[in-house]
Amino acid sequence: FEMGDEGLTEIEKPSELLLSQRPKGVPGNCAVCVMEGSRPLIAEIQALCAVTSYPSPRRMSSGIDYNRTALLLAVLEKRIGLRFSTQDVYVNAAGGMRLVEPACDAACALALLSSYKEEPVPEDLIVIGEIGLSGECRTVSCLEQRLNEAARLGFARAAIPFRAVDKIRKTPDGLAIVPLRSVFDLLALLGL
C-alpha cells in the first residue's frame, strides 16, 4: 500500500514501481529478488564508493543491515584484494525498502564492486544469493518463485548460486541462468 492524496491505495505491481526509476548505465546499482512473506519482489540495491580524505573511512547503510554490509566489505577486501579501506562506502535499498534476508548479499556485493570499479551492472541481469565468509555463494529459499518474477519483469539473465542450478525444475522461458561459485564470479559479471 502507499499513501496518496486519496488515502491508502493498493500497489498492484510493486516490483514494476520499484524498478521504474532505476538508472541505466550507471555504476553501483543491482537488481535482486527478495521475498516479502510468500510474495517475490524485485528491489534495487545502490552502492557508492568514493575515495576518502579521512584516516577512518565512513560507512553508511540505509535499508540494508549495517553489519551485513561491513561483512561483505571485509569479504571483498580479503578475498579479492580490493582496498575498500581507502573508500567511504554508502549502501542503499532504493524506494525506502528494508532488505533483511541474506539472499541480497550477492547483489549488494556486485553493486559495491560496480561502484568501486566504475563498471555498470548489465541492466538485464538480476543477482540472488548469500555470500559466506570464504567468499562462496550460498543457495537461498524460494528460488523458483524469484526466477519467475525476474522473467516476468523482463530480465534476461539471473546469477544464482551454482549449487541451486540443478535443483531448478523449470527455468522460466527467456531467462538464462548464470551460476555463481564465489565473489570472483561477480567480477566476471562486470566483464573484469
Side-chain angles (χ1 to χ4, degrees):
F1 291 94
E2 77 175 337
M3 180 60 84
D5 294 338
E6 300 165 8
L8 278 178
T9 57
E10 183 180 357
I11 300 173
E12 292 190 26
K13 298 178 180 176
S15 292
E16 292 172 20
L17 178 68
L18 288 167
L19 290 177
S20 65
Q21 297 181 51
R22 186 172 175 213
K24 298 185 185 312
V26 177
N29 71 71
C30 185
V32 64
C33 189
V34 297
M35 296 302 292
E36 282 291 323
S38 62
R39 183 178 192 177
L41 187 64
I42 306 290
E44 177 191 355
I45 296 177
Q46 301 173 329
L48 177 67
C49 301
V51 176
T52 187
S53 56
Y54 299 105
S56 181
R58 179 160 186 175
R59 304 286 187 248
M60 193 181 119
S61 184
S62 177
I64 297 172
D65 182 61
Y66 176 84
N67 292 322
R68 199 78 193 163
T69 302
L71 179 143
L72 291 172
L73 288 170
V75 168
L76 292 173
E77 189 153 319
K78 178 72 173 177
R79 302 297 171 213
I80 297 180
L82 301 177
R83 298 275 318 231
F84 284 102
S85 58
T86 64
Q87 306 277 313
D88 287 333
V89 176
Y90 304 90
V91 178
N92 179 49
M97 293 213 38
R98 182 99 181 105
L99 307 179
V100 295
E101 64 174 323
C104 300
D105 287 358
C108 187
L110 185 57
L112 287 163
L113 289 170
S114 170
S115 179
Y116 186 93
K117 294 287 193 177
E118 284 293 321
E119 190 67 41
V121 175
E123 294 169 27
D124 68 345
L125 176 70
I126 190 162
V127 182
I128 305 164
E130 178 181 356
I131 300 293
L133 293 179
S134 299
E136 79 278 13
C137 192
R138 304 172 71 89
T139 193
V140 298
S141 64
C142 306
L143 198 50
E144 287 190 34
Q145 285 178 272
R146 297 173 200 256
L147 295 176
N148 287 330
E149 180 71 358
R152 189 182 73 75
L153 286 171
F155 287 94
R157 296 183 298 152
I160 63 170
F162 82 100
R163 292 183 198 266
V165 172
D166 293 337
K167 295 178 180 150
I168 298 170
R169 288 174 287 198
K170 183 179 182 318
T171 304
D173 291 337
L175 188 67
I177 301 297
V178 180
L180 295 176
R181 290 185 178 273
S182 72
V183 290
F184 292 101
D185 293 336
L186 295 175
L187 287 170
L189 293 174
L190 295 175
L192 303 173

